[in-house]
Every structure is written in structure tokens, then in C-alpha cells.
Amino acid sequence: MLGFTGSPQSVRHRRTRGLTEPRTFTEHDPIRVFLLDDHEVVQRGPADLLDTEPDISVVGDADTAAHALTDGPALRPHVAVLDVRLRDGDGDGITVCRELHDRIPEPTCLMLVSFDDEEALLDAGMARAAAYVLKQIKGSGLVSAGHLRSCY
């Protein structure tokens, strides 16, 4: 994880508006995840990995920013895993992160990027993303306590 200033835990506590105890998720009350990536193969990888976790449920996905902003808010995800860069004309994950925060109070955004990009890192931070992760991360790293679970 390239990350932001502060640990994922400090980000979580700032974002939960004063709660001091992290929320516990279970198979019956899972972390609700929404995925945005314009490449189906890349989108299926995280979806398949996350679906094997009993306390995580992929509630929806999108391949364009417009689709994400139409479907995402209604699904009320706890975590949105967003591709920073989408095909030309399809918008970008940073804008989706910003818009999700404006529309629903709860989402934590985890930004996925193909390569290290300082400008995108700064933009993601300004959009209130909780984490910025290179797509080269191992699957177990994405779902580990250091990434998805600790983002929320």
C-alpha cells in the first residue's frame, strides 16, 4: 500500500465520526464492497477473492464512472474499491470517490492503480480516499487487515 499520512486505523477512526471501537463484521453482517474497474478481468480478480471471505460481500460492480454513480449509492457499500484510471471518456475513480462521499455518508474508498502516480495519490487523498494500492498487490494482501478490512 502506498498509503496516506497516518495508519489505516487512524484513518478509520477519523472517518467513523467519533467512534472509538472498530466495527466487527461477520458472515451475517459482512463488509459490503462495491467494485469499479473498466477491465472485466481485473474486476473479476478482486470479486472472486473477496467472495471467498465470509465477512465480506461484493454487493455490486461497475465498469464506468457513470454506472458506479448510478448503482453504487443505492447499494450502500461500506467500502468502494475503485480503479483510479478508466478508459477515456469513462470518468475516473477519484471523481467517483468524491461523489460517493457527497451522496452517502458511509463509504470508504480504496483506490487501485496500475502504476505509482504522485498526482493521482494526491488527488485521491483530496477526494477522501482511505487507501491507495498498486494493482500488483497479492490477493491475500488486498483482503488482509492491512488493507480492505482496516479501511473501514
Side-chain angles (χ1 to χ4, degrees):
M1 178 166 75
L2 300 175
F4 295 113
T5 303
S7 68
Q9 290 77 17
S10 66
V11 172
R12 177 181 58 230
H13 291 296
R14 282 196 303 266
R15 298 177 63 58
T16 55
R17 296 172 184 80
L19 296 177
T20 57
E21 293 297 318
R23 182 170 171 186
T24 301
F25 292 94
T26 66
E27 186 173 351
H28 301 292
D29 183 22
I31 299 172
R32 299 170 51 81
V33 178
F34 184 82
L35 303 170
L36 168 63
D37 200 294
D38 56 345
H39 295 98
E40 180 184 4
V41 171
V42 176
Q43 190 181 90
R44 291 300 328 146
D48 291 348
L49 283 166
L50 297 174
D51 278 340
T52 66
E53 299 294 316
D55 62 339
I56 298 174
S57 175
V58 177
V59 295
D61 57 47
D63 59 359
T64 66
H67 186 197
L69 292 171
T70 300
D71 294 350
L75 297 169
R76 310 223 26 111
H78 298 118
V79 177
V81 179
L82 308 171
D83 185 2
V84 170
R85 304 268 184 237
L86 302 173
R87 288 182 287 251
D88 292 337
D90 283 343
D92 61 76
I94 294 167
T95 302
V96 171
C97 178
R98 188 177 296 110
E99 290 288 324
L100 285 175
H101 282 293
D102 290 344
R103 296 179 188 194
I104 55 178
E106 203 168 51
T108 296
C109 297
L110 187 150
M111 308 305 295
L112 288 178
V113 64
S114 298
F115 56 91
D116 192 1
D117 178 343
E118 284 295 318
E119 184 178 337
L121 175 63
L122 294 173
D123 290 344
M126 295 300 293
R128 298 175 286 180
Y132 185 91
V133 180
L134 290 171
K135 288 183 179 180
Q136 292 86 350
I137 190 170
K138 292 184 182 226
S140 59
L142 180 63
V143 296
S144 74
H147 291 82
L148 191 130
R149 285 190 177 99
S150 67
C151 280
Y152 187 77

